[in-house]
Amino acid sequence: MTNMSRARVARRIAAGAAYGGGGVGLAGAAAVGLLLAEVRLARRHVGNGSGGRVPVADGMYGLTYAVPGEPPLRLVMLGDSTAAGQGVHRAGQTPGALLASGLAAVAERPVELRNVALPGAQSDDLDRQVALVLSAAAPVPDICVIMIGANDVTHRMPPTRSVRHLSSAVRRLRTAGAEVVVGTCPDLGTIEPVQQPLRWLARRASRQLAAAQTIGAVEQGGRTVSLGDLLGPEFEANPRELFGPDNYHPSAEGYATAAMAVLPTVCAALGLWPAEEERPDVMRREGFLPVARAAAEAASEAGTEVTAAMPTGPRGPWALLKRRRRRRVPEAEPATPSV
């Protein structure tokens, strides 16, 4: 699928999500039957993403930067098993801990991490997760990171419904005053036991949903980072290293690679990235594009950031597409429990 056709499909899905339209198919009806049969077969090998212990990483990171009277930055993770960190054994290997320790180092300020992500969650669980985040007992976070979408594809959630729930979550968090970064649907075509034709169908469905998620999130004031096939080459070259023991969830190295891609956008959303990095770099093919086209390009190239720019143009809202330099994220130190 070309970027232009992916942009058209993404626009249709996002419009359906915004105006309550029906499901826009991710693949033809005949292909869906084959996809389901192959998914059931693949799940016997990789599991359904809902089991296993997830390390608890909540707490304070970067206490060496503490200054009396200065509150910590508050980071919350929402989403599915990828956001929770399923597949690793130590809390410091989860994406939340990696992002919290990396953010603390850049900001030179402690970061309090809270994770409300649920393994196996689909986008309709974001309503519940956001309610937890915005409960009266908890301060509004400075930044929220959402990673969601894979289970929507494998469980056949209509993409319009998926994007509607994500857009609502971003809108509620932004209205409350939190910055929001969304790691869009990863490329399910990189899962090792999955064979053709499911691999091709999964890649196509994943990228279509990721592009539509980008439109929905950016239009509500969030930023997105495409996870896409970010780990694809590494998975294919060394799947035993970058997948966890279940061959479905990333290993510690896989989560570190994803955190490296997301951290610069998290820092930029909080105004912590160097000012010169905010200007589009033509040499890196950055620039302003209609949001649907930016979303399609981001879905095709993992690690690409999309954020809102000019409110409108001849072809609708515009966005800034950036390919930020990734920052090395070492394994986090154990968190200090929050008080």
Side-chain angles (χ1 to χ4, degrees), residues 118-321:
L118 178 68
Q122 300 175 53
S123 290
D124 55 5
D125 192 57
L126 289 176
D127 296 344
R128 180 192 65 84
Q129 294 182 29
V130 170
L132 285 175
V133 174
L134 299 181
S135 64
V140 175
D142 295 287
I143 183 118
C144 295
V145 175
I146 304 173
M147 296 179 177
I148 199 88
N151 295 317
D152 296 9
V153 174
T154 60
H155 289 75
R156 291 188 302 153
M157 177 180 286
T160 50
R161 183 180 170 208
S162 174
V163 173
R164 188 178 303 127
H165 283 294
L166 176 62
S167 298
S168 173
V170 174
R171 180 172 61 253
R172 289 169 65 192
L173 292 169
R174 291 290 292 128
T175 299
E179 296 291 340
V180 181
V181 174
V182 176
T184 56
C185 183
D187 184 353
L188 298 181
T190 62
I191 297 173
E192 188 195 20
V194 176
Q195 302 300 318
Q196 298 291 12
L198 175 58
R199 186 180 290 265
W200 179 85
L201 289 170
R203 171 166 286 125
R204 180 170 177 251
S206 302
R207 291 187 175 186
Q208 285 181 359
L209 179 57
Q213 286 178 317
T214 297
I215 296 174
V218 168
E219 288 184 343
Q220 298 302 326
R223 299 179 185 228
T224 64
V225 179
S226 56
L227 299 182
D229 61 349
L230 180 67
L231 306 178
E234 292 94 332
F235 284 165
E236 293 173 3
N238 198 357
R240 292 288 181 263
E241 180 179 344
L242 281 159
F243 274 125
D246 60 3
N247 288 332
Y248 185 87
H249 296 98
S251 67
E253 292 82 1
Y255 280 129
T257 302
M260 266 197 309
V262 174
L263 179 60
T265 299
V266 167
C267 294
L270 293 171
L272 299 171
W273 216 237
E276 60 270 17
E277 280 280 318
E278 297 308 301
R279 292 189 292 271
D281 187 339
V282 177
M283 298 298 292
R284 290 159 61 188
R285 294 177 293 116
E286 298 178 345
F288 297 97
L289 296 169
V291 66
R293 186 176 159 198
E297 290 209 12
S300 300
E301 185 174 343
T304 305
E305 174 190 318
V306 180
T307 187
M310 295 166 279
T312 189
R315 287 177 284 176
W318 283 61
L320 174 60
L321 183 144

